[in-house]
Amino acid sequence: MSDHAARPASASLPLTLPSNPILLGGENRSGTTLLSVLLDSHRNLVVGPEIDFTEPVNLGPHILTVCDMIDIRDARLAGTKKDTIDPEWYDGAHFVVQCERFGLDRDDVRNLVRSLKAKRGTDLSGLEDRCLLIDSIGEFRREQTGAVRWGLKLQRKIQDIGTYAAIWPKADFIHIIRDGRDVTASHLKTVPDWGYRAVTEAARGWMEVVTRPRQAAPDGRYLEVRYEDLVTCPRETIERMLGFLGLPWDEAVLHHAEQKHALFDKPWGHPAAEPLANRFVLGAMDGTCRISRPQRSRSSNGLRGRNWRIWATTYRGRVPGALSHAGGARNTPTPPAPQLYAPLADQTAPPPRSPFSLFADKARHVMKFTDLPSLSLSPGRLTVWRWAPRMPDGAWVADPRRASHVQEAHIAYALVAAGEDPLPPSWLGSVFDLPAELDAAAFTTALRQWTDRHETLRSQLIFSPDSRPGGHLQRRTLPAGAVSIHPSAAGDFTNGRQLARYLEELFNGEISPVGWPAHVCATINRPEATTVCLAADHVLMDGYSILAAAHEIQTLYAAALAAPDGKPAPPVLPPRPVTSISRRPNGPTPTR
């Protein structure tokens, strides 16, 4: 994954080009292809995938030879993958294939290379000549399609944004950033032949690509967008990009699969071409952002991506909801919290006749992404509920089940992001109401039963004393019944904003991906209702399971209230939790 094969010969480059390209960058598997295809759908743009122009050394003669070899179907260039092509000719073959993905024929490539070689009197090995070739390719496609501007993916070369900003002083740069944990999981699972091989390697590489461009980005010509925002709030995100580029809105960008793209015509093994060509719609409805796939359940890059600010979910009304911390990565621009609504229940069905019927009748069955300070929490008496082992550390049992890829990536990312500082917050949470004042004994029973039902709440990932970089975490687990619940009074609050700030500081301080417990609960008690705030680190729960937990705790609490004389409540939930597995090289490993 070399990105620096060609470097400027001096600190200052005399070459400046008059064109105004749109240069896209980001870590591999971060959604750069989706970004390029969306922009390529705009009527004023022609935007191609990446072209690796920093290799080979003798770029000009190498490409001309490769074009001739392809014409005669030379066996050394069989297939489209690295392991099927002669290593001596791979870089040149890859360059030609990438040009064809951008819409050029081999004759076009051959003519542009020959013309520039004659004009410059070189073999196009210097960085200036390579950029001139890319500029010639971009301008050729712009004139060929009648577009106003051309664009191309720099990919990881956006780390050298200062160099390219000097060569193209009129260029605009868009950097797409995806959650590092999802990038790591994508590398390990989908591109093992050329991607990162270890979590720590991926974490370091991701941090480099994210942080370096910010240090040299030209003022007013650099924009960062989040992959998670692009797939959950496409209209707002694309409007922001087009505004940055000074371009009008074009509805076609929300229907990219219906447009003509050279990448779809000649994918030549591109890992994202086929999934992107399958129709899915990015759009907004009733002020709500959504992504839907009529043919498949989710996009090629998946919808499991989570902004590392951990925007999580909350419900409006008196039904389970979720929240997130407002803290984020240092020196990271803060995007507006995306608003994602989705049905919670069949609103035509009659509400259940239970202690929660009043709340179900009045509930607005939608969920919303927000952060904790944005919630309108009603003040009251605050109690914090914490988990602890009933016995000393000897109760922990060594557990041979390994962490999932996402858990390993999450912990590695947190450690790399923190450096010598404390770990950055990475929790998400759920907010829901219980009727009337809280029955502390029933709530304790509900939390204890919930904990016994789920091993993940009693499990911890730790580093062994002989851990080495790139090594694996070790799991240890407490048996069912070995955890106790401890309530602690935190005082009476009369101001909702102060209460939200207190909870945020509480969750930031106590929840960690490498500590146990990785979750905390708080209740806000009032005569008419009790609000429950449950928060957990992302190593423990995701946006779905945190909401399922809210429903489960509600159900267990109702059963505990109904139990006569403190007798055990009848079963109200399936007796065995669902087990999810993460497929690893050595077989499936239970994760949650």
Side-chain angles (χ1 to χ4, degrees):
M1 294 171 36
S2 173
D3 304 294
H4 310 285
R7 290 287 189 175
S10 60
S12 61
L13 292 172
L15 175 70
T16 58
L17 298 171
S19 58
N20 60 342
I22 301 165
L23 302 178
L24 312 177
E27 178 61 283
N28 296 321
R29 310 302 297 165
S30 288
T32 53
T33 303
L34 171 63
L35 178 61
S36 68
V37 169
L38 292 178
L39 292 177
D40 189 53
S41 302
H42 195 284
R43 62 182 179 273
N44 292 339
L45 300 178
V46 55
V47 181
E50 69 277 7
I51 296 181
D52 295 325
F53 59 91
T54 57
E55 298 177 85
V57 175
N58 56 334
L59 184 64
H62 195 98
I63 292 174
L64 293 178
T65 302
V66 165
C67 286
D68 294 338
M69 293 171 69
I70 295 176
D71 287 345
I72 63 174
R73 300 180 181 275
D74 193 299
R76 290 172 290 178
L77 302 182
T80 59
K81 295 185 177 180
K82 197 166 188 176
D83 57 359
T84 63
I85 298 176
D86 189 321
E88 181 182 356
W89 301 104
Y90 175 79
D91 292 331
H94 197 46
F95 184 97
V96 175
V97 165
Q98 289 174 324
C99 288
E100 292 189 1
R101 289 173 180 164
F102 193 18
L104 285 79
D105 294 330
R106 279 194 296 279
D107 285 342
D108 297 329
V109 177
R110 188 184 281 115
N111 292 337
L112 288 172
V113 171
R114 284 175 175 168
S115 175
L116 188 58
K117 280 178 82 275
K119 181 179 179 180
R120 298 288 288 182
T122 68
D123 60 3
L124 309 185
S125 61
L127 181 61
E128 293 183 9
D129 291 340
R130 294 169 188 266
C131 291
L132 273 169
L133 179 58
I134 292 299
D135 193 73
S136 299
I137 291 171
E139 287 296 303
F140 176 84
R141 284 292 287 152
R142 183 185 64 80
E143 295 174 2
Q144 188 181 54
T145 59
V148 176
R149 299 180 70 177
W150 63 271
L152 206 63
K153 288 167 52 177
L154 286 178
Q155 206 75 357
R156 301 187 85 250
K157 289 188 288 292
I158 195 152
Q159 295 177 78
D160 297 321
I161 188 173
T163 297
Y164 298 114
I167 293 176
W168 281 286
K170 296 181 181 179
D172 289 314
F173 299 84
I174 299 180
H175 185 185
I176 186 168
I177 298 174
R178 185 183 184 188
D179 188 297
R181 292 160 293 181
D182 289 321
V183 169
T184 300
S186 181
H187 274 258
L188 296 177
K189 292 183 178 181
T190 63
V191 288
D193 53 333
W194 56 263
Y196 292 119
R197 303 294 181 88
V199 170
T200 51
E201 178 190 5
R204 292 190 184 95
W206 182 88
M207 286 293 290
E208 290 176 354
V209 177
V210 168
T211 59
R212 286 182 178 177
R214 296 170 180 167
Q215 301 169 5
D219 292 339
R221 296 164 53 201
Y222 174 77
L223 177 70
E224 287 185 358
V225 297
R226 300 286 183 177
Y227 169 80
E228 292 77 14
D229 292 344
L230 185 60
V231 297
T232 57
C233 286
R235 182 178 293 271
E236 290 84 349
T237 305
I238 298 173
E239 283 179 344
R240 187 161 65 96
M241 290 191 295
L242 296 181
F244 166 73
L245 298 172
L247 293 171
W249 175 256
D250 187 345
E251 196 70 20
V253 298
L254 293 179
H255 306 277
H256 65 273
E258 301 170 12
Q259 316 305 318
K260 183 176 177 60
H261 301 284
L263 176 63
F264 294 170
D265 295 334
K266 296 181 178 180
W268 299 142
H270 194 290
E274 181 182 356
L276 288 175
N278 289 327
R279 182 176 180 270
F280 68 92
V281 180
L282 297 168
M285 182 172 64
D286 298 331
T288 302
C289 300
R290 67 175 185 173
I291 176 171
S292 61
R293 276 301 285 276
Q295 297 181 359
R296 294 188 181 183
S297 61
R298 59 186 181 182
S299 70
S300 61
N301 286 326
L303 292 180
R304 65 188 184 282
R306 295 169 297 278
N307 190 321
W308 61 339
R309 288 175 51 79
I310 316 300
W311 303 110
T313 49
T314 186
Y315 288 96
R316 291 302 186 194
R318 300 176 183 266
V319 289
L323 48 91
S324 82
H325 68 83
R330 293 179 294 276
N331 302 321
T332 303
T334 302
Q339 309 296 310
L340 174 59
Y341 296 85
L344 172 66
D346 181 0
Q347 299 187 41
T348 63
R353 293 304 163 191
S354 70
F356 303 92
S357 294
L358 174 64
F359 297 91
D361 288 339
K362 294 185 177 181
R364 178 183 177 189
H365 293 285
V366 295
M367 67 180 181
K368 180 180 181 181
F369 283 82
T370 187
D371 54 10
L372 196 153
S374 299
L375 286 177
S376 299
L377 290 176
S378 297
R381 177 166 297 175
L382 180 66
T383 302
V384 179
W385 304 74
R386 297 178 176 89
W387 282 251
R390 287 184 180 274
M391 301 172 60
D393 284 348
W396 290 98
V397 178
D399 193 329
R401 294 171 294 184
R402 288 173 55 182
S404 70
H405 284 307
V406 173
Q407 287 174 322
E408 288 181 345
H410 171 58
I411 292 176
Y413 156 75
L415 295 174
V416 173
E420 299 298 325
D421 300 323
L423 293 177
S426 57
W427 55 265
L428 74 167
S430 178
V431 174
F432 56 98
D433 281 351
L434 302 175
E437 287 193 70
L438 185 72
D439 185 312
F443 191 67
T444 300
T445 298
L447 292 182
R448 187 176 63 250
Q449 291 178 341
W450 177 61
T451 303
D452 287 345
R453 286 173 53 82
H454 300 287
E455 286 183 308
T456 188
L457 300 174
R458 298 178 272 109
S459 184
Q460 182 184 15
L461 295 170
I462 60 174
F463 293 97
S464 61
D466 60 345
S467 288
R468 301 181 304 277
H472 294 287
L473 298 162
Q474 290 186 345
R475 184 187 298 276
R476 62 178 190 171
T477 303
L478 289 167
V483 177
S484 58
I485 313 297
H486 299 272
S488 175
D492 293 325
F493 285 80
T494 58
N495 184 289
R497 291 184 179 275
Q498 291 179 353
L499 175 59
R501 286 196 294 270
Y502 180 92
L503 287 174
E504 183 178 18
E505 292 176 0
L506 171 73
F507 297 154
N508 286 350
E510 295 198 12
I511 298 174
S512 166
V514 293
W516 190 89
H519 56 292
V520 176
C521 185
T523 54
I524 307 165
N525 199 8
R526 301 179 300 277
E528 71 280 6
T530 297
T531 299
V532 181
C533 301
L534 175 67
D537 190 83
H538 236 301
V539 77
L540 189 65
M541 296 188 191
D542 57 19
Y544 175 81
S545 58
I546 194 74
L547 297 177
H551 168 71
E552 190 173 350
I553 291 172
Q554 281 183 317
T555 306
L556 291 169
Y557 179 68
L561 285 176
D565 302 324
K567 294 181 180 179
V572 293
L573 290 163
R576 294 180 65 84
V578 175
T579 299
S580 66
I581 61 174
S582 174
R583 188 169 298 279
R584 304 190 63 89
N586 59 348
T589 301
T591 57
R592 285 192 174 94

